[in-house]
Amino acid sequence: MLSTLEINIRDPFVLVYEGKYYMYGTRSATCWGEADGFDCYVSKDLEVWEGPYEVFHRPDGFKYDKNYWAPEVHLYNNAFYMFATFNTVAEDIKGTQVLRSASPLGPFIPWSEGTITPPQWNCLDGTLCISSDGVPYMVFSHEWVDIFVGEICAIMMSSDLKRAIGEPFTLFNASAAGDWVRPISHRRYPGKEIYVTDGPFTVRNADNSLTLLWASFGDKGYVEAAADSPSGKIEGPWIHRSQPIYSDNGGHGMVFTGLDKKRYLTLHYPNTNYEEHPVFIETSDI
């Protein structure tokens, strides 16, 4: 058994299913280099957890061997689909692929025909978003390493989640979010201002509007932000909230309704390697 503070993951994602919480995330220990799997932790109260249970392990012939990030598991058409970011040491181009399982505890096996995100782009943190007319889309981050000002983008998916349909389109970029956004620097690009977009997650509200959570950087480090599409359309227009919803060096969040019928925001805190752990915050604003 583990307490929440003992679980060292980034990018926590919680699936509520049959009276239990299933939490997935990026292994902090292998986040920035070679990696080979994802884990799940199981709880009935968000405080004491069983696991970790390895739900995906790199199979023979699987080309990706680096940067296993941000696994999300969605119940869709009576199966469990994991959206996860992968990279390779040789090519160093990130993308989000879909895996599938009959159980929330796996084993998850590759499902999509390669990455859903454009293969020539560096992309990460793909998430499933269903349009108001039932069409699946992947919302994802077009990473700053390609364009310096990161973007949140979307692309239509086939109904079986195996492939992309059409071309990606941009929802917004980081610099458009407001005065609170701060650029970062990177040793590879001295003197260059970089704006980050991480971890999109969409919420379909009772009035059919959409809320999109995403992460960037502010005065105190990593932050969790939100934007709203009152029309309910994935294309927007997206209206950015004036301030982050969490601004104390934590982020890459999502929201879920707990077994107690309360709404929770979860994210990792602090944004410091080997120290990250999930945080659960009751919320009524998302």
Side-chain angles (χ1 to χ4, degrees), residues 20 42 47 65 73 81 121 157 170 173 178 219 245 247 254:
K20 294 181 180 179
V42 183
E47 295 179 3
D65 56 3
V73 174
Y81 292 86
W121 291 7
M157 301 178 70
T170 300
N173 65 34
D219 288 333
I245 59 175
S247 57
M254 56 87 65

Side-chain angles (χ1 to χ4, degrees), residues 81-96:
Y81 292 86
M82 176 182 284
F83 287 56
T85 300
F86 299 100
N87 196 357
T88 65
V89 172
E91 298 174 358
D92 200 23
I93 299 178
K94 305 177 191 73
T96 294

Side-chain angles (χ1 to χ4, degrees), residues 8-10 26-35 273-274 276:
N8 183 209
I9 61 171
R10 303 174 62 85
T26 303
R27 294 171 175 170
S28 178
T30 60
C31 177
W32 304 112
E34 294 186 35
N273 206 202
Y274 303 113
E276 313 97 323

